[in-house]
Amino acid sequence: MRLYLAIAVLMLALVAYTEAQEDTIEQKFAKFTEQVSQVGEKLGEQFKTSYDDFQTSEFVVSSRARLNEFIEWVKTRTQ
């Protein structure tokens, strides 16, 4: 009787183990592509934020203004 009980417990453990196995290759690939797309989105958002911060920085705004003044100055000098 104990032998049958031990075999039944081992079979239940084997079934539980096989159900808890790792994901299939297809599932791993799906997870990987999802992670890559999330990283890409995050990097894109960070780049956009950094670019917007750069465009509105004091250095860029003042440099753009000075460049426009210089271009206008050159235009008036050449006419």
Side-chain angles (χ1 to χ4, degrees):
M1 181 78 167
R2 289 183 186 173
L3 181 61
Y4 292 120
L5 184 59
I7 291 174
V9 169
L10 286 175
M11 291 301 289
L12 287 174
L14 180 65
V15 169
Y17 177 76
T18 56
E19 288 179 359
Q21 288 293 317
E22 290 187 16
D23 297 334
T24 63
I25 298 296
E26 184 178 322
Q27 292 169 336
K28 286 181 182 181
F29 184 69
K31 284 182 183 179
F32 176 73
T33 55
E34 183 179 327
Q35 290 172 347
V36 168
S37 65
Q38 288 174 353
V39 167
E41 289 174 6
K42 187 175 180 180
L43 285 175
E45 291 172 5
Q46 289 176 346
F47 178 78
K48 185 178 183 322
T49 303
S50 298
Y51 181 76
D52 291 342
D53 290 346
F54 176 75
Q55 288 294 326
T56 58
S57 69
E58 182 181 340
F59 173 75
V60 172
V61 171
S62 64
S63 297
R64 189 177 297 133
R66 288 180 186 165
L67 182 61
N68 286 336
E69 290 174 8
F70 178 73
I71 290 172
E72 290 300 319
W73 180 79
V74 170
K75 284 181 182 178
T76 59
R77 299 282 286 180
T78 58
Q79 290 178 352

